[in-house]
Structure formats: C-alpha cells, structure tokens
Amino acid sequence: MRHTYWEIRGLGVEFIAVANEEPENHKEIRERLDLPFMLLSDPGAEVARAYNTYHENEPRERDIARPGLFLIDSAANGAKVLWDHVGPTTRHRVTPNRIVEELLNALGRKHQVVSVHVPSETELLRVIGSYQDPPVGHYRTIGGLQPAVGVEREFTQQNAMAAFSEVHRLAEEGWTLVTVTPEFEGERSTGHRYVFQRTVE
Amino acid sequence: MSAIGTWLPGPTDFDGRESMLGKDAPEFQLRDQEGNNVTLRRLTRTGPVLMHQYRGNW
C-alpha cells in the first residue's frame, strides 16, 4: 500500500484518512506504522454520516464508518465527488492497483510517472556505516512532487534494497524507463534517479 | 431483486446506500493527529483529495 500512496501523490492527489478515533491515538498509530499521510479524527462519526458510510456499533460512542474511498475534485473545479467506493465490510476493499486505475480514469489522465532514487554503493556503505534504528525515510519519490512531499534523503540498508526491487517491479510490470539521472549532494554521488512512465489505455 | 442483483454496480452500493458520485462533497473540519484543525475546503485548494474512511477503534 505504501508505494500506492506515492503513486497517488504523483497524480497530484492529496491522501487523507478519517476515522472515529482520538487525535492522540492517531498520533500513536501514525508513528508506530510510519504513515506519511494525515489521520483525521471524526468524533461521533459525523463525516461518516455526511458521506453515507455511517454504521452503528455498540457501544454507541464506538460508532464507525464503513470502509470507503472518496475522490474529491479540487475546489477550483467545484469539489464534487469524482469517484467513490464503499464496501459493507473491510473484506470488500479495493486493491491498491485498482485504486490508482480508478483515479486515473476519474481524473482523465493518460500518463503516470514514477521516479525511484536508487542509492549508490558508496551511499549504501555510508548509510550502513551509520546504521539507523528504526529505519527512516522513503526510498521512493514521484516526479514533480518531490519538494511538496518532503522526501527524506537518508537511506537504510532495508529500504535501499526496496528501491532496487522497486525498479525491477516497475520494469517487469511494463513501465517504460524514461531517464536515469545521476544524483549528487555537493561532490558526493548519492545514486541514480530512475524515472518510469506508463500510458494508461 | 435477485441475490446477484445486489452486487451489480449502480446508484446504490449495498443495503440501499446512496452513492455520492457527482455530488458536492460535504464540507468538514476535523482535527489531525497533532490536534490542528483541517478543513476540506483548504485541502482541495491545491488539488483533488482522496479521502479514506475506515473504522476507528482498532
């Protein structure tokens, strides 16, 4: 699901999660699961009611929302619901790939761009040398949105390996490699940025 | 309606739930994980928003 988040951001779409949960609990959950998006509190499930996902529960203060996804257009375009999916239970979730396809379709997009930073060998050694626990940072960024999403430039051995496997995954899934660009921090080479693109039929 | 009919896509998803498709997204103001107020109006100022509602109390 994590790589799907960055694909969603790559489409210029903000992602938020809403639940009947206290901010303190959301803070703990967000840190524990290292979630990059905001978690919003919906006490009394008022937003769930407004979006027809409300589901009564016992006791009543634990009322919940059915799992739902809503794509809301920009304010400039009138903030209408462009796509929604609500399942009766959590077993009826949409798969991550399907979400991206639905968004592309609803937004009328044809091209999807993903860029992956793959650390250099020296960068890997440097990072492994200064071993970090717990792992921080994201190995993956999306073209054009890098400053907006505040991507960390630190890599751990674990997510550097994930960057390699991500490049392989994209290539195997039929994405076209557009550019490979060496990246530097001052004089020091930090690796290469692989930019992939695919056209959606 | 037949059992299979309830699974066909349409204006209602299940249990007669009405889809929000094409409607104005209801405005909200909620607190984020730091306790800051966040409005839908502000979120949609910079572009589209994908809202994921999930059951709390996990």
Side-chain angles (χ1 to χ4, degrees):
Chain A
M1 186 66 201
R2 187 170 294 268
H3 73 77
T4 305
Y5 168 75
W6 293 109
E7 285 182 20
I8 291 167
R9 293 304 311 268
L11 298 172
V13 175
E14 180 77 69
F15 181 85
I16 58 170
V18 177
N20 181 359
E21 192 74 71
E22 290 300 316
E24 301 76 54
N25 294 344
H26 270 158
K27 189 177 169 70
E28 188 274 321
I29 292 163
R30 191 170 180 275
E31 284 169 8
R32 175 159 48 84
L33 302 179
D34 190 25
L35 301 175
F37 44 84
M38 66 171 83
L39 302 177
L40 299 175
S41 296
D42 182 21
E46 294 301 325
V47 173
R49 274 177 234 265
Y51 284 81
N52 291 340
T53 59
Y54 178 70
H55 181 62
E56 280 187 7
N57 204 7
E58 291 295 336
R60 292 302 304 280
E61 67 269 17
R62 292 170 67 89
D63 282 349
I64 56 172
R66 294 186 197 272
L69 285 163
F70 297 87
L71 177 65
I72 300 160
D73 209 352
S74 64
N77 288 338
K80 296 208 184 300
V81 177
L82 293 178
W83 172 74
D84 70 351
H85 177 277
V86 178
T89 75
T90 49
R91 283 176 301 158
H92 295 81
R93 280 189 188 143
V94 197
T95 62
N97 283 345
R98 172 87 187 282
I99 293 172
V100 175
E101 281 166 22
E102 294 282 2
L103 296 190
L104 283 164
N105 189 35
L107 294 166
R109 306 282 175 79
K110 290 287 180 202
H111 295 287
Q112 199 180 356
V113 176
V114 170
S115 93
V116 183
H117 174 100
V118 179
S120 64
E121 228 171 281
T122 49
E123 180 79 354
L124 266 180
L125 289 171
R126 189 181 73 84
V127 171
I128 295 167
S130 59
Y131 176 69
Q132 296 164 340
D133 187 29
V136 296
H138 308 291
Y139 61 90
R140 185 173 184 180
T141 63
I142 302 294
L145 272 182
Q146 196 177 348
V149 295
V151 173
E152 302 284 342
R153 291 195 61 83
E154 293 297 321
F155 298 93
T156 64
Q157 184 180 11
Q158 189 187 347
N159 58 20
M161 290 305 150
F164 285 113
S165 65
E166 184 66 2
V167 166
H168 283 284
R169 183 186 76 86
L170 290 165
E172 277 174 13
E173 288 188 4
W175 292 67
T176 307
L177 183 59
V178 185
T179 55
V180 182
T181 321
E183 295 205 317
F184 296 91
E185 262 180 25
E187 296 282 302
R188 186 168 53 81
S189 164
T190 58
H192 289 79
R193 178 163 300 279
Y194 289 66
V195 177
F196 290 86
Q197 181 181 300
R198 75 173 171 186
T199 305
V200 181
E201 299 304 328
Chain B
M1 185 183 276
S2 69
I4 194 83
T6 59
W7 294 100
L8 292 174
T12 57
D13 304 342
F14 59 89
D15 293 355
R17 177 191 173 270
E18 200 179 334
S19 170
M20 298 290 290
L21 197 63
K23 295 188 177 167
D24 291 335
E27 176 61 23
F28 57 73
Q29 175 176 307
L30 300 171
R31 282 185 301 157
D32 69 10
Q33 66 280 347
E34 305 295 336
N36 303 312
N37 282 322
V38 175
T39 62
L40 180 64
R41 197 184 309 271
R42 202 187 78 201
L43 289 170
T44 53
R45 202 179 290 162
T46 48
V49 171
L50 182 64
M51 172 171 64
H52 174 42
Q53 289 190 13
Y54 60 99
R55 49 189 304 159
N57 299 303
W58 45 1

